[in-house]
Amino acid sequence: MTRPVWAEAPTVVGRAGKGAVLTVVLLVLVVPLYSVVLTSLSDQAAINRAGGMVLMPAGLTIESYRQIFGNALIMRSMVISVLVTLIGTLLSMVTTVMCAYGLSRRGSFAHRTLLMTLIVTMFFGGGIIPTFIVVSALGGYDSYWSLILPSAISVFNIVVMRGFFMNTAQDLIDSARLDGANEWRVLWSIVVPVSKPVVAVITLFYAVGYWNSFFNALLYLPDNGKWPLQMIVYTYTLLGSPTPGTGITSGQLAGHQALAPLSIQMAVVTLTLIPILLVYPFVQRHFVKGMLIGAIKG
């Protein structure tokens, strides 16, 4: 029996080409990360020899991390980032789940009108200045809530989750209602438990968004004592300002070794990557299923 063209076994050239492409993609992703971590562990001499980012291990030291963990401002920013991420993700998930469930029930009040209104906001917005005026007028300026509330809801995430909820087996919902369950019980006891893939994916989206966000802090937080970690990274690494609270300049001694400012920059960047690298493997198995079902069924 002749196999169809689309089911034919790949040729040797095809397999080699795929392997080469995957290898290149892997190197593009891993090498910069490797260089960032290695530079954060290198002393001034190694960085000078490399002319910047280090690719070959030499002069390894953890002095950069000692300086960071001894810096009250940076440690405070890490705590702020963690709390903002946890509280913001919880708030965003609760509101997103409730909104998506309401919009997924065809008999709910004005669900089509509300859905179209939400979708319009994906393409049209007031802009930075009107948003700044509204947030400031509501008391968000110089407040931690300005890091959460302006970006608490993502319409894209609502649409994806709505599509997944619409695919929930109607028989389960009907049987729960026959047993006397109201809409709240149906949502939290039936719909959410069987929607773990999309819930995990959307949770990751929100968590990464809050963890990586610095723009709201740039707009609404003039006090650097309230800055999240990403704002410290933006100010020091991108703008080249002195590391807040360290007072370290090029060539100054830290302990018995010359500590390079670049190594501190890369150490801070490394710390911002660790939480995402720890969380993603636990969510990755749900990623493809959650996104595809949520997007296609909607």
Side-chain angles (χ1 to χ4, degrees):
M1 179 178 178
T2 304
R3 300 175 62 182
V5 175
W6 58 266
E8 290 182 355
T11 63
V12 175
V13 176
R15 289 197 298 268
K18 292 178 182 178
V21 171
L22 290 176
T23 301
V24 171
V25 172
L26 182 63
L27 291 176
V28 169
L29 296 175
V30 172
V31 170
L33 179 61
Y34 162 80
S35 180
V36 167
V37 175
L38 187 58
T39 303
S40 72
L41 295 170
S42 300
D43 60 12
Q44 181 66 57
I47 293 175
N48 289 341
R49 286 194 299 269
M53 301 296 290
V54 179
L55 290 175
M56 297 298 294
L60 299 181
T61 175
I62 61 172
E63 199 62 44
S64 297
Y65 292 94
R66 289 178 180 172
Q67 288 290 328
I68 289 175
F69 288 113
N71 186 320
L73 187 60
I74 294 180
M75 292 305 298
R76 178 183 175 86
S77 70
M78 292 180 64
V79 173
I80 292 172
S81 289
V82 171
L83 291 178
V84 167
T85 300
L86 293 177
I87 297 173
T89 302
L90 177 61
L91 176 63
S92 295
M93 285 304 301
V94 170
T95 53
T96 298
V97 167
M98 293 171 59
C99 183
Y101 177 72
L103 294 175
S104 68
R105 302 300 99 187
R106 297 190 181 278
S108 60
F109 174 75
H111 76 280
R112 180 64 60 181
T113 302
L114 293 175
L115 178 61
M116 292 299 103
T117 303
L118 287 174
I119 291 177
V120 168
T121 65
M122 294 177 62
F123 305 100
F124 303 99
I128 295 177
I129 295 178
T131 302
F132 178 85
I133 294 174
V134 170
V135 173
S136 299
L138 294 175
Y141 190 76
D142 201 22
S143 169
Y144 288 120
W145 287 108
S146 63
L147 302 177
I148 298 176
L149 295 183
S151 53
I153 296 296
S154 168
V155 177
F156 173 80
N157 292 340
I158 291 176
V159 171
V160 171
M161 188 170 287
R162 170 183 175 271
F164 202 103
F165 286 172
M166 291 182 68
N167 194 46
T168 303
Q170 188 62 38
D171 292 343
L172 290 175
I173 297 176
D174 292 339
S175 62
R177 286 174 176 160
L178 288 175
D179 291 335
N182 56 23
E183 292 292 346
W184 289 101
R185 188 64 181 270
V186 169
L187 172 60
W188 299 112
S189 299
I190 304 296
V191 177
V192 172
V194 301
S195 304
K196 289 181 180 178
V198 73
V199 170
V201 171
I202 300 303
T203 300
L204 178 65
F205 280 179
Y206 277 124
V208 171
Y210 281 115
W211 180 258
N212 289 333
S213 177
F214 70 91
F215 192 66
N216 284 354
L218 183 65
L219 289 178
Y220 306 116
L221 295 181
D223 181 7
N224 64 0
K226 296 182 178 180
W227 285 354
L229 184 60
Q230 295 296 342
M231 187 61 188
I232 299 294
V233 174
Y234 170 78
T235 302
Y236 179 54
T237 303
L238 186 60
L239 300 184
S241 302
T243 312
T246 61
I248 294 177
T249 57
S250 180
Q252 185 174 343
L253 294 179
H256 299 289
Q257 293 177 308
L259 187 65
L262 181 62
S263 66
I264 300 180
Q265 296 176 28
M266 295 303 105
V268 176
V269 172
T270 301
L271 291 178
T272 65
L273 296 174
I274 290 176
I276 303 303
L277 294 177
L278 293 177
V279 171
Y280 183 76
F282 298 99
V283 184
Q284 186 270 340
R285 64 192 182 94
H286 298 297
F287 196 87
V288 175
K289 181 179 178 181
M291 285 304 299
L292 287 182
I293 295 181
I296 294 174
K297 296 298 182 181

